[in-house]
Amino acid sequence: MTETQILNYALNQFAGIDAEAFELSAPYWQRKTYGKGEFYNEYKNVCKYLGFILDGVFRTYYIDDESADEKNVFFFSKNQVVVAYKSFVTQTPCSYYTESMTESTVLYIHINHLNELYGRSHHWERFGRLVAETAFNLAMNRAEEFMFRTPEQRYLELIQNHPDIFNNVPLYHIASYLGIQAPSLSRIRKRMVGK
């Protein structure tokens, strides 16, 4: 499959974007390669682009004011959308950094083009609603992970959502995402191997 076919398929699965609706958007999608450590969006910048990851991994993090530690909040990987959701939906400055953890390739679209598509097609209007709903659900799920799930459960969910994460992301970043220290992650991994 070509990159465009992969994107078309993913958008159809996510929001029912059919071939005709996809063709409306085709001229607007741009391809970009990010080097390891390159930012997709930076703190205090307004996120203007919604990206579809063809290859690679991104992390979203903030810097703790007291400890100056980087705290990982989200990972985005192959065949997922990468975006600073709140900033993108509200067009306000972002409270996070979104950084490429590997060399990554993304197809992205500008907010202005999406807004144009929302006015031209009910398929794209539905897409916009689903993006906003996804942002809400992602934030709620992340908060509930820490309220109702054990570190082991969070670990298993991470592996389910990002199967190649351990091949691409250093363990200390994964531990930060899980809200635990690196030695605890090592113990969890050893226990999981034994099951």
Side-chain angles (χ1 to χ4, degrees):
M1 284 175 101
T2 67
E3 292 175 351
T4 303
Q5 290 170 326
I6 292 168
L7 177 64
N8 190 353
Y9 176 79
L11 293 175
N12 183 273
Q13 294 297 112
F14 176 70
I17 301 290
D18 62 18
E20 185 179 328
F22 182 77
E23 280 305 310
L24 293 174
S25 75
Y28 301 139
W29 292 96
Q30 301 293 317
R31 184 181 197 275
K32 181 168 181 180
T33 300
Y34 292 84
K36 181 179 180 179
E38 191 173 343
F39 289 101
Y40 180 82
N41 199 69
E42 291 192 63
Y43 177 69
K44 298 282 187 192
N45 286 353
V46 175
C47 184
K48 299 281 188 188
Y49 301 96
L50 179 138
F52 178 78
I53 303 171
L54 294 168
D55 194 30
V57 178
F58 290 83
R59 71 176 176 130
T60 295
Y61 69 95
Y62 68 95
I63 298 176
D64 184 275
D65 289 336
E66 291 180 22
S67 67
D69 290 338
E70 294 177 0
K71 303 288 186 175
N72 293 299
V73 182
F74 301 112
F75 287 114
F76 304 102
S77 55
K78 186 176 181 176
N79 296 329
Q80 293 182 336
V81 167
V82 59
V83 64
Y85 280 103
K86 181 182 173 190
S87 175
F88 184 77
V89 170
T90 62
Q91 286 299 282
T92 56
C94 188
S95 301
Y96 305 97
Y97 298 89
T98 301
E99 175 188 28
S100 182
M101 298 298 296
T102 62
E103 186 166 309
S104 302
T105 305
V106 172
L107 292 175
Y108 67 90
I109 190 167
H110 193 278
I111 183 72
N112 292 345
H113 291 135
L114 273 179
N115 284 329
E116 178 188 325
L117 290 167
Y118 298 160
R120 292 177 62 192
S121 163
H122 289 297
H123 286 95
W124 283 103
E125 190 175 47
R126 180 174 188 266
F127 175 85
R129 178 180 54 79
L130 290 172
V131 166
E133 288 176 8
T134 299
F136 174 78
N137 287 332
L138 196 63
M140 286 303 299
N141 287 341
R142 190 72 176 122
E144 289 175 355
E145 282 179 2
F146 285 96
M147 290 188 282
F148 305 121
R149 293 190 186 99
T150 65
E152 289 86 357
Q153 291 168 323
R154 293 194 300 268
Y155 170 86
L156 291 172
E157 189 168 315
L158 175 66
I159 291 173
Q160 180 181 342
N161 293 333
H162 307 279
D164 295 329
I165 195 88
F166 287 97
N167 297 331
N168 296 307
V169 176
L171 291 180
Y172 66 93
H173 284 305
I174 294 170
S176 167
Y177 173 83
L178 296 171
I180 59 178
Q181 297 297 316
S184 297
L185 176 58
S186 294
R187 285 191 293 277
I188 290 170
R189 292 181 76 197
K190 284 179 187 169
R191 278 197 302 270
M192 294 297 150
V193 169
K195 289 186 177 183

